[in-house]
Amino acid sequence: MFCKATLLTVALGLMASATPITTKQGVSIPLGKRSTLQNEDGTFNYDKAVIQTVNTINKHRANLINLEKNVGAHVFKAGAFIKDLVTLPAHLIKRQAESLTDEEDDLEWAGTISIGTPGQNFLIDFDTGSSDLWVPSSSCTSSTCRSKSKYTASKSSTGAKKSGSFSIQYGDGSTVSGPVYTDTVAVAGVSVTKQSFSPVTTLSSSFSGDPIDGILGLAYPAISNLNANPYFNTAIEQGAVKEGVFGFKLASTGSELYLGGTNDELYSGSIEYHDIDTSTGFWQLTGAKALVGGKAVVSNFETIIDSGTTIMYGPPAAVKTFYKAISGSAVYDSDQGYYSYPCDSPPTVAFSWGGKQWTISADNFSLGETSSGSGKCVGALAGQDIGLGSNVWLLGDSFMKNVYTAFSFDQDAVGFAALA
């Protein structure tokens, strides 16, 4: 995901201590912990939430630009459009340019990869809502690169520069951009050759004070800025994994990305798979229902499952209908689409795609109190037009932390199972 953040100490130790755990036929990669958009006193951090929303909108704006370029606008969902670049308020641009390592603890799931021969190591955010791999280059001219691990092409015997360029814009007016290379990329024990990526020479100030070095996208090739196969698709093509499936467990402890199958030690029962619409390039499910108290309040919408987004977003009118079903709810911030509800009577919220109802815990649905002692909590579903379509919702970690999620290229499907 494209957000400013700092991982907790456990994540910082991954570079040195995390080793691949081979279980069954796949490979497990431990991930660093992500918390919530809360202050230390349990109140809602509004500024962080605004930054997250701006970065989410701009990430998916870039995805739609890539989709139009690679496939054509004819595959856009009804109401989808390429929004103007959303910019941050001036005071938040200044904040993002500062190193806030003691505060930014909540916006990524990260693990280690290596690029090149011999391998050069990087701490990477694994993002199911994008499709490209980028890391800083040794030629990076941005001050943000100073604290990052950097790729040196001349030190890799398998690296090769290709034609073209890579570029993404951010809400503070900065960019991540660079040339295109291919090289060997290894994630734990899963190694591929001639993987397209960008060693970026400019790095947005959005990443200042953020321990991650780059992003590894896990969505479909259709939304690739490089117009190339993402890493996991290359792994499938080269036979580096036995199954074209990867699984995520995102939790306060024991978070894991599993490549080449699913880790059945982390879930109970069977995985409930649902087909996706592959034309969009996203992990996009159809036929969804949102339930409050066991009753469907919004039905027959589409959902993108995005590990690179912290909360959940839906079209403003649909989200308004959703909160009407929650007793005591009220608009908290109409500009950002946030609602509040009584903390002492949290709603039972769930999503269903025609099978089980997958419930979101009270802790995961709350983004914190509006102010200390107010008794009003901010809900983790916001009404926001992301530009992805008038009937498309975006489900991030606030949903994914409640289930084991499997992403299958073999079946073109997303599956959910109960956490063990």
Side-chain angles (χ1 to χ4, degrees), residues 131-392:
S131 296
D132 292 307
L133 169 61
W134 62 262
V135 296
S137 165
S138 58
S139 300
C140 182
T141 58
S142 304
S143 59
T144 313
C145 283
R146 291 172 186 165
S147 62
K148 308 296 184 186
S149 297
K150 291 175 278 289
Y151 172 80
T152 303
S154 62
K155 292 183 178 180
S156 174
S157 63
T158 48
K161 188 175 183 180
K162 301 296 180 180
S163 61
S165 61
F166 171 83
S167 182
I168 300 173
Q169 290 181 289
Y170 286 82
D172 60 358
S174 58
T175 63
V176 172
S177 60
V180 179
Y181 273 72
T182 61
D183 208 338
T184 297
V185 175
V187 181
V190 180
S191 180
V192 302
T193 60
K194 297 182 179 179
Q195 175 59 47
S196 296
F197 75 105
S198 180
V200 298
T201 53
T202 62
L203 183 58
S204 170
S205 55
S206 298
F207 294 92
S208 176
D210 184 338
I212 70 156
D213 299 310
I215 306 290
L216 189 150
L218 291 165
Y220 280 76
I223 58 171
S224 165
N225 184 270
L226 299 171
N227 195 19
N229 262 353
Y231 159 79
F232 195 68
N233 299 78
T234 304
I236 295 170
E237 284 194 357
Q238 295 183 3
V241 289
K242 292 184 178 179
E243 292 184 36
V245 181
F246 62 90
F248 267 108
K249 176 189 174 182
L250 303 181
S252 57
T253 59
S255 295
E256 174 193 279
L257 168 63
Y258 189 92
L259 299 177
T262 58
N263 186 349
D264 58 14
E265 296 180 359
L266 299 182
Y267 62 89
S268 60
S270 59
I271 297 176
E272 179 186 289
Y273 278 102
H274 297 278
D275 293 342
I276 65 167
D277 180 354
T278 60
S279 67
T280 66
F282 298 104
W283 294 103
Q284 187 158 338
L285 300 162
T286 60
K289 293 181 181 179
L291 303 100
V292 175
K295 296 181 179 180
V297 294
V298 185
S299 299
N300 200 29
F301 56 92
E302 302 190 22
T303 52
I304 293 171
I305 311 301
D306 181 2
S307 68
T309 294
T310 304
I311 67 165
M312 304 175 290
Y313 298 94
V319 171
K320 181 178 180 180
T321 299
F322 172 89
Y323 278 102
K324 279 184 178 180
I326 299 175
S327 178
S329 67
V331 175
Y332 171 67
D333 183 89
S334 58
D335 289 340
Q336 297 296 321
Y338 285 105
Y339 290 76
S340 66
Y341 62 91
C343 299
D344 60 3
S345 56
T348 301
V349 174
F351 288 88
S352 174
W353 289 266
K356 295 179 181 179
Q357 296 181 11
W358 302 101
T359 301
I360 297 174
S361 72
D363 284 346
N364 287 332
F365 190 70
S366 173
L367 298 179
E369 277 192 290
T370 56
S371 60
S372 185
S374 70
K376 296 287 187 180
C377 285
V378 179
L381 172 64
Q384 187 70 240
D385 182 3
I386 304 294
L388 295 168
S390 56
N391 198 36
V392 178

Side-chain angles (χ1 to χ4, degrees), residues 52-205:
Q52 158 73 7
T53 297
V54 168
N55 287 336
T56 297
I57 292 173
N58 287 337
K59 177 176 87 168
H60 289 296
R61 171 184 181 270
N63 283 334
L64 289 178
I65 290 172
N66 298 336
L67 183 62
E68 182 179 48
K69 178 186 68 175
N70 296 340
V71 182
H74 66 280
V75 298
F76 283 17
K77 293 294 180 177
F81 67 103
I82 297 171
K83 297 173 71 78
D84 292 337
L85 187 72
V86 180
T87 57
L88 287 167
H91 75 285
L92 291 183
I93 292 176
K94 180 180 179 182
R95 181 184 177 196
Q96 279 211 143
E98 298 169 350
S99 179
L100 300 176
T101 56
D102 59 334
E103 296 180 17
E104 302 292 302
D105 63 354
D106 66 328
L107 296 172
E108 289 142 351
W109 301 100
T112 56
I113 73 169
S114 71
I115 302 176
T117 307
Q120 302 173 41
N121 291 333
F122 302 90
L123 185 64
I124 292 293
D125 174 30
F126 296 99
D127 180 15
T128 65
S130 65
S131 296
D132 292 307
L133 169 61
W134 62 262
V135 296
S137 165
S138 58
S139 300
C140 182
T141 58
S142 304
S143 59
T144 313
C145 283
R146 291 172 186 165
S147 62
K148 308 296 184 186
S149 297
K150 291 175 278 289
Y151 172 80
T152 303
S154 62
K155 292 183 178 180
S156 174
S157 63
T158 48
K161 188 175 183 180
K162 301 296 180 180
S163 61
S165 61
F166 171 83
S167 182
I168 300 173
Q169 290 181 289
Y170 286 82
D172 60 358
S174 58
T175 63
V176 172
S177 60
V180 179
Y181 273 72
T182 61
D183 208 338
T184 297
V185 175
V187 181
V190 180
S191 180
V192 302
T193 60
K194 297 182 179 179
Q195 175 59 47
S196 296
F197 75 105
S198 180
V200 298
T201 53
T202 62
L203 183 58
S204 170
S205 55

